[in-house]
Amino acid sequence: MSKAFISQIIQESTDCTGVTANQAAGDLIAAIVKELKTTGGFTLPSFGTFTVRKTKARKALNPRTGEPVKVKAGKTVRFKASPNLKKAV
């Protein structure tokens, strides 16, 4: 799914211009990102839950050279599908 896909769906369902739909899609994505940053989670009912999790620093291997590489601690976003989404798919 892309921003263009989301804006196309918004445009078709609301009969607005492409520019307005693109701006609405951008605002929607920005609101989701802001919610993830502030609360660490976001839930779309009947779709699923996004959560932010911390990752620990670790050692990994460079696949090309096989050399060990240090990977810094960071954050990642996880998604858990709702039972309704699992049934539908």
Side-chain angles (χ1 to χ4, degrees):
M1 183 181 301
S2 64
K3 181 180 172 185
F5 176 77
I6 294 170
S7 63
Q8 180 185 0
I9 298 298
I10 291 171
Q11 184 179 5
E12 290 172 0
S13 66
T14 61
D15 293 327
C16 64
T17 65
V19 173
T20 305
N22 192 24
Q23 185 176 4
D27 291 345
L28 174 66
I29 293 169
I32 292 171
V33 170
K34 183 179 177 184
E35 187 70 16
L36 286 171
K37 282 183 179 180
T38 57
T39 63
F42 180 76
T43 300
L44 286 171
S46 299
F47 186 72
T49 303
F50 297 88
T51 54
V52 176
R53 293 208 179 159
K54 294 180 181 178
T55 58
K56 296 179 181 179
R58 59 186 167 85
K59 292 182 182 178
L61 292 178
N62 183 334
R64 288 189 182 174
T65 63
E67 294 178 27
V69 178
K70 291 182 182 178
V71 178
K72 295 180 182 178
K75 294 179 183 178
T76 188
V77 178
R78 305 265 177 137
F79 175 74
K80 182 179 179 185
S82 73
N84 293 340
L85 179 62
K86 289 179 182 179
K87 268 185 182 178
V89 176

